[in-house]
Every structure is written in C-alpha cells, then in structure tokens.
C-alpha cells in the first residue's frame, strides 16, 4: 500500500498570504490528523477529521482550518500567515480498527 | 492538560549496547501510547503502539512497556546499530484516541 502523501513538500509564502496544504491518506483510512512541528514548541495537534467531520481541534487560532473530502483526502488552510507559522506540517492517517497513526513526510512551510 | 516528558534529551552510545529511553506523562487517563522515530527532515515512523489495557509491546529488537499508574513508559532497544540513530518520540492519546500529545524527544546517536 502506498503511504501517506503530502503536497507540496516545500512552500515559501509571504506574511499576510494564505496557504493550502494537501494530504492523501493510506487507502482505506478514514481518519486524518494534522500536526505542526516547530523547534520551539515541538509537535502540536491541530485537528482530526473522520468521515468529513472534524472530531477534535487543538489549541490553535481560527486562522487554521481544515476539511476532509468524501475520498478521505484532507486539506488544511492557514490564512493571514505570520512568521511564527513557519513549521513542518505533518499529516497522519489511521484505520478505523486501530488507533495507530501513520505519518506522511510533511510540508515544510516558510513564511518570510 | 496532559504533559509528556522524555529523558534524556540526547544519548550517545557505542554500537551493540542495549539502551532504555524514558517517557513520563502527567495524566494517567490515556487511550494509548505510541513510540515513533524521526529521521532528520523527515516524517514520523510508528514503532510501537500500546493500548491503555496493555503492559508491553514488542517488535524485533524493540520493547516498549507502559505503567499507567505511575505515568511512565520505557522503550528498550537491544543490540543498538548505527541505523538506529534518530530522534525517538513518545506520544500519548488522552483527549481522544487519535489526539496525540508528544514529548520533546530523545536524540539517539549510535557510534560505529
């Protein structure tokens, strides 16, 4: 089975812009979670989607949003980018019958 | 609020040594605990998942234990190899089964 894929892998944006990141889960997985990784804060949970519904949300401002499509692919959007949003954004998928999470390679976002 | 601590932050050992990585968490009401490894600039690779009802899990040279009552988990790596060099992350699911709180990791270097 193909693993979790994330696009794009690298992105450079300017403060104030918005960005959309994409995640394709492992085939058959219906849960997709997003995490932000920074040197200062480490890995932090953003949100989880299951069957197109957001089930959980971490402690991030409303500028961070996401959605999931009927084929389980997910996107996350960050509006009005700030320098502090520079990070590695990781997506993880999980099957229905297990809580094990499988991570993608991440999208490296740099905000200048 | 769940907090996860990993000690030590960095560890350097000669090849062939057995070693133990430690993880502690503050809230014992957990769904599961996962150990991951992360190679530089890469995503996370799942190593072991321990359900809250389990005491340990084994995979090859890896053995992870869980003591919920004391809020501790250990990852035992037998006969370490240079290819084991990576950052090892402990993550606890407590708010929900797929919402992980991560420790800051142990950076392991195995010297040939």
């Amino acid at each position: 089975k193909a693993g979790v894929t994330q696009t794009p892998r690298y992105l450079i944006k300017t403060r104030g812009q918005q960005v959309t990141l994409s995640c394709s889960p492992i085939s058959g997985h219906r849960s997709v979670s997003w995490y932000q990784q920074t040197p200062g804060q480490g890995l932090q949970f953003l949100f989880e989607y299951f069957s197109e519904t957001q089930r959980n949300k971490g402690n991030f401002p409303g500028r961070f949003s996401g959605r999931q499509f009927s084929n389980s692919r997910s996107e996350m959007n960050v509006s009005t980018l700030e320098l502090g949003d520079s990070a590695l954004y990781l997506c993880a998928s999980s099957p229905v019958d297990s809580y094990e999470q499988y991570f993608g390679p991440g999208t490296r976002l740099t905000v200048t | 609020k769940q907090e996860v601590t990993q000690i030590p932050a960095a560890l350097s050992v000669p090849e062939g040594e057995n070693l133990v990585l430690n993880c502690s968490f503050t809230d014992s009401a957990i769904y599961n605990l996962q150990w991951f490894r992360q190679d530089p600039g890469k995503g996370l690779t799942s190593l072991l998942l321990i359900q809250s009802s389990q005491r340990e899990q084994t995979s090859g040279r890896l053995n992870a234990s869980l003591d919920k009552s004391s809020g501790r988990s250990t990852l035992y790596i037998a006969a370490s190899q240079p290819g084991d060099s990576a950052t090892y992350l402990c993550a606890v699911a407590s708010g929900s089964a797929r919402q992980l709180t991560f420790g800051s990791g142990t950076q392991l270097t195995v010297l040939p």
Side-chain angles (χ1 to χ4, degrees):
Chain A
K1 272 187 182 179
V4 177
T5 58
Q6 292 187 244
T7 56
R9 293 292 313 280
Y10 302 92
L11 206 48
I12 300 175
K13 290 287 188 179
T14 304
R15 266 181 306 175
Q17 288 186 316
Q18 75 165 20
V19 67
T20 299
L21 312 181
S22 181
C23 171
S24 293
I26 292 172
S27 178
H29 288 192
R30 287 164 56 188
S31 168
V32 173
S33 299
W34 288 89
Y35 294 83
Q36 181 196 63
Q37 186 175 31
T38 60
Q41 299 297 319
L43 271 152
Q44 293 183 284
F45 173 80
L46 280 157
F47 27 64
E48 182 210 354
Y49 285 87
F50 184 91
S51 293
E52 303 178 65
T53 301
Q54 185 181 91
R55 294 211 292 195
N56 294 289
K57 190 176 193 301
N59 189 25
F60 278 82
R63 300 185 297 107
F64 292 80
S65 63
R67 58 178 176 168
Q68 187 180 34
F69 302 95
S70 58
N71 62 358
S72 293
R73 190 178 70 85
S74 177
E75 289 181 346
M76 69 162 280
N77 183 276
V78 188
S79 62
T80 319
L81 284 166
E82 301 176 359
L83 294 179
D85 297 333
S86 294
L88 181 66
Y89 289 88
L90 293 162
C91 162
S93 74
S94 184
V96 172
D97 59 352
S98 166
Y99 297 126
E100 190 163 2
Q101 297 197 28
Y102 299 84
F103 281 77
T107 293
R108 172 78 61 186
L109 171 64
T110 302
V111 182
T112 62
Chain B
K1 180 191 169 191
Q2 180 74 266
E3 292 181 4
V4 180
T5 303
Q6 291 187 247
I7 294 173
L11 183 62
S12 183
V13 300
E15 182 177 2
E17 266 203 15
N18 302 325
L19 57 102
V20 174
L21 307 181
N22 296 293
C23 171
S24 61
F25 47 94
T26 54
D27 185 351
S28 62
I30 67 170
Y31 289 88
N32 59 72
L33 182 145
Q34 268 190 268
W35 283 93
F36 297 89
R37 69 174 277 170
Q38 185 174 31
D39 294 281
K42 302 286 180 63
L44 277 62
T45 300
S46 176
L47 298 174
L48 290 163
L49 179 145
I50 311 177
Q51 300 286 6
S52 63
S53 57
Q54 299 174 318
R55 296 299 299 267
E56 66 176 334
Q57 280 284 355
T58 298
S59 176
R61 295 182 294 108
L62 305 179
N63 175 276
S65 68
L66 173 64
D67 184 343
K68 258 193 348 175
S69 61
S70 67
R72 293 179 188 276
S73 176
T74 61
L75 179 67
Y76 175 82
I77 303 177
S80 58
Q81 304 170 356
D84 295 331
S85 297
T87 296
Y88 288 79
L89 294 152
C90 167
V92 172
S94 47
S96 77
R98 294 188 178 92
Q99 181 174 345
L100 296 176
T101 301
F102 282 84
S104 54
T106 294
Q107 186 173 0
L108 173 66
T109 303
V110 181
L111 303 169

